[in-house]
Amino acid sequence: GIMITRLVVVGNSIYAIGHTDAFGGFDVLIAKLTDNGDSVQLDWVKYLPGTGFDYSGHALTDGKYIYIVDGTFSYGVGGGDVFVAKLDLDGNLVKFVTLGGTDFDTGVSIDVKDGYVYVTGDSGSSLFVAKLDENLDKLLWFKTLAGYSSDGFSVTVSGCNIYVSGEKYIDFDTIMLATKLGLDGSPLEDYTSSVQLMDYTGTVQLEDYISRFTQFYISFHTPSVSDVTSSVPVSYTHLRAHETVLDL
């Protein structure tokens, strides 16, 4: 089957990004549809083949390329690594890189601004934030949150600041995390201390919280191998950099 986790729109083109188990394991899938006003036409379906389980969670476009981030068990060096994929609007793979170490690492959110790519997610049991150049050739920095177990949910860049949200876990409580970083990754302000999301009983304390597990679904048939117009062979680079721990 297919799970669509993100829709990206460029003009009247709709890109549905997710993953499929049609070819064994899970593979990242991208489908292009055209909105004709009174109908939607499926133009093509492509996938990124792997040997293990590869997922697609978050994607966005800068109008020229589509960037996808999540986790891969097919590529990288650890027991699951972050991947960042860059594709053109025809679904051709431009670059595929992995980030992470020997622990389980996964990417959850991505933003692209002013020639740089910003990613957050989980590295081992810690929230991480990473900055890459837009060509995905260089990992400029990779930073993790100190002191407690935490997960990164969202990263957004505005002006000279990086805003990161997530959760951290202290004494059986789940605390909503929000922090502001400089473009060099330096911590500027922490908004976390006054916001508690969920206590140990599971009681939600923040009513307008939107779960990161919310999924989007669209209706089109599960492709067989013959329906997939082309697969995209994946060659990849594993990027490593000195990790800096943020003490917020």
Side-chain angles (χ1 to χ4, degrees):
I2 292 175
M3 175 176 285
I4 300 301
T5 57
R6 186 66 57 172
L7 298 178
V8 173
V9 178
V10 181
N12 67 336
S13 297
I14 304 168
Y15 296 88
I17 294 119
H19 42 264
T20 177
D21 62 358
F23 312 106
F26 283 99
D27 294 303
V28 176
L29 176 142
I30 179 169
K32 180 179 179 289
L33 304 95
T34 300
D35 183 356
N36 296 314
D38 57 354
S39 63
V40 176
Q41 169 188 326
L42 177 62
D43 297 323
W44 47 255
V45 180
K46 300 184 180 184
Y47 71 103
L48 305 181
T51 58
F53 290 84
D54 306 316
Y55 302 93
S56 174
H58 192 209
L60 56 75
T61 181
D62 61 2
K64 298 180 294 183
Y65 298 98
I66 296 169
Y67 296 84
I68 305 172
V69 66
D70 207 299
T72 175
F73 286 89
S74 297
Y75 306 97
V77 300
D81 281 315
V82 180
F83 81 81
V84 183
K86 179 180 181 180
L87 301 94
D88 65 23
L89 298 184
D90 293 320
N92 300 310
L93 184 64
V94 177
K95 195 68 178 287
F96 186 101
V97 299
T98 60
L99 312 173
T102 56
D103 291 329
F104 175 75
D105 308 297
T106 187
V108 177
S109 180
I110 189 170
D111 199 8
V112 179
K113 288 288 175 66
D114 300 326
Y116 297 99
V117 177
Y118 301 84
V119 178
T120 191
D122 312 326
S123 178
S125 59
S126 296
L127 177 154
F128 80 85
V129 187
K131 181 177 181 179
L132 306 91
D133 71 304
E134 66 178 347
N135 295 321
L136 305 183
D137 290 325
K138 296 180 180 179
L139 178 59
L140 303 175
W141 47 256
F142 185 100
K143 303 192 178 189
T144 57
L145 187 64
Y148 20 68
S149 179
S150 56
D151 298 321
F153 289 174
S154 178
V155 61
T156 301
V157 180
S158 179
C160 296
N161 300 311
I162 305 167
Y163 298 90
V164 181
S165 69
E167 290 178 350
K168 63 181 181 181
Y169 313 102
I170 304 175
D171 297 330
F172 303 103
D173 285 344
T174 302
I175 308 298
M176 186 174 182
L177 183 154
T179 192
K180 180 169 73 173
L181 308 175
L183 295 181
D184 60 355
S186 58
L188 298 179
E189 192 167 358
D190 182 18
Y191 309 104
T192 301
S193 59
S194 62
V195 183
Q196 178 168 314
L197 171 64
M198 185 180 296
D199 64 22
Y200 69 94
T201 65
T203 303
V204 174
Q205 304 292 332
L206 189 66
E207 292 182 358
D208 62 351
Y209 175 72
I210 302 175
S211 170
R212 65 168 170 160
F213 297 109
T214 299
Q215 305 287 350
F216 295 89
Y217 298 92
I218 64 173
S219 297
F220 61 89
H221 68 288
T222 301
S224 65
V225 173
S226 60
D227 291 321
V228 178
T229 55
S230 64
S231 63
V232 184
V234 176
S235 62
Y236 77 99
T237 303
H238 188 80
L239 300 179
R240 296 295 301 273
H242 177 69
E243 176 183 310
T244 304
V245 176
L246 298 175
D247 189 7
L248 300 177

